[in-house]
């Protein structure tokens, strides 16, 4: 148990409807990580609890066929291979900016109200409190499916009928790469320099400076927007 401003957070009970009571103390509490591979219980309800847990390999199994289907749609509409490849790469690139922006401005939004704290804990706070919880490192597919609809509609507004599917497929592929990379950075044991530095970079965000280093798949946008952690230059990335 932990006592915060006269409120007791019982780590042995479902946490979601407790953390809101922390008020302004929530920000400090949620950024004091508990390093354990066993994640906490979120809900008393078994169905809700089940929906919060996702094995990492479900992400490529579920979404890579969807990526292929969207890309195939553009092929059927006569898109050339070079044009197709360019759009997929562009989609991945756009995703990296979205990944950075969501992590920095939404996932790390400061909250202090009951429902603000509760929603933040569900969205990202739980990951900072229990960073090694292997079943809550990737985004639940049901939630992803809901969010994909407005993004797909937005892409259709911005691109042509033939280019929109390839662009969206590239963005979705970027998401799959991101979620798998995120899991690997927490539980993988990289043996080569690039992934080893990326793992160090991300764990630095969790355990050292949590308001810097928002990139997951790369530090590109942290460099662009000036959110690189102190004493970490381009050479160390």
């Amino acid at each position: 148990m932990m006592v915060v401003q006269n409120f007791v957070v019982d780590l042995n009970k479902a946490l979601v409807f407790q953390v809101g009571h922390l008020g302004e103390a929530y920000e400090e509490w949620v950024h004091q990580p508990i390093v354990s591979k066993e994640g906490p219980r979120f809900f008393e309800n078994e169905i809700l609890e089940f929906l919060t847990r996702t094995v990492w390999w479900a992400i490529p199994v579920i979404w890579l066929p969807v990526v292929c289907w969207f890309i195939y749609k553009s092929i059927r509409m006569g898109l050339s291979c070079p044009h197709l490849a360019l759009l997929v790469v562009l989609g991945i690139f756009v995703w990296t900016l979205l990944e950075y922006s969501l992590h920095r401005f939404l996932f790390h939004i400061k909250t202090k109200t009951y429902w603000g704290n509760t929603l933040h804990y569900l969205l990202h706070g739980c990951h900072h409190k229990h960073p090694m919880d292997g079943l809550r490192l990737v985004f639940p597919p049901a939630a992803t499916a809901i969010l994909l609809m407005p993004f797909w509609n937005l892409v259709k507004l911005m691109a042509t009928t033939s280019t929109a599917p390839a662009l969206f497929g590239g963005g979705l592929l970027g998401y799959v790469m991101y979620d798998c990379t995120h899991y690997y950075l927490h539980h993988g044991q990289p043996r080569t320099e690039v992934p080893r530095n990326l793992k160090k970079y991300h764990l630095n965000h969790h355990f050292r400076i949590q308001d810097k280093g928002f990139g997951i798949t790369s530090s590109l946008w942290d460099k662009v927007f000036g959110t690189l952690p102190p004493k970490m230059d381009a050479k160390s990335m």
Side-chain angles (χ1 to χ4, degrees), residues 95-107:
W95 164 259
T96 64
L97 178 58
L98 185 61
E99 164 197 314
Y100 171 88
S101 301
L102 288 172
H103 191 188
R104 180 180 178 182
F105 298 110
L106 180 60
F107 294 176

Side-chain angles (χ1 to χ4, degrees), residues 96-209:
T96 64
L97 178 58
L98 185 61
E99 164 197 314
Y100 171 88
S101 301
L102 288 172
H103 191 188
R104 180 180 178 182
F105 298 110
L106 180 60
F107 294 176
H108 280 268
I109 191 172
K110 296 185 185 300
T111 62
K112 59 182 179 180
T113 65
Y114 176 84
W115 286 110
N117 293 346
T118 301
L119 291 173
H120 180 268
Y121 182 80
L122 276 169
L123 182 66
H124 192 65
C126 60
H127 177 51
H128 271 264
K129 189 65 183 177
H130 293 85
M132 301 307 290
D133 183 350
L135 292 176
R136 294 193 178 100
L137 275 170
V138 297
F139 210 60
T144 303
I146 294 171
L147 292 174
L148 283 180
M149 293 306 297
F151 279 112
W152 169 233
N153 288 327
L154 179 62
V155 172
K156 285 194 294 184
L157 287 175
M158 299 173 61
T160 65
T161 303
S162 61
T163 60
L167 185 60
F168 184 78
L172 185 57
L173 178 59
Y175 158 71
V176 173
M177 294 165 62
Y178 150 79
D179 244 356
C180 292
T181 299
H182 189 208
Y183 183 88
Y184 181 73
L185 295 182
H186 281 268
H187 289 283
Q189 299 297 328
R191 300 183 183 279
T192 56
E193 184 177 2
V194 173
R196 189 164 56 240
N197 286 340
L198 195 59
K199 180 182 177 79
K200 184 186 299 183
Y201 185 72
H202 184 60
L203 294 185
N204 177 70
H205 167 74
H206 275 280
F207 298 105
R208 181 170 168 258
I209 305 177

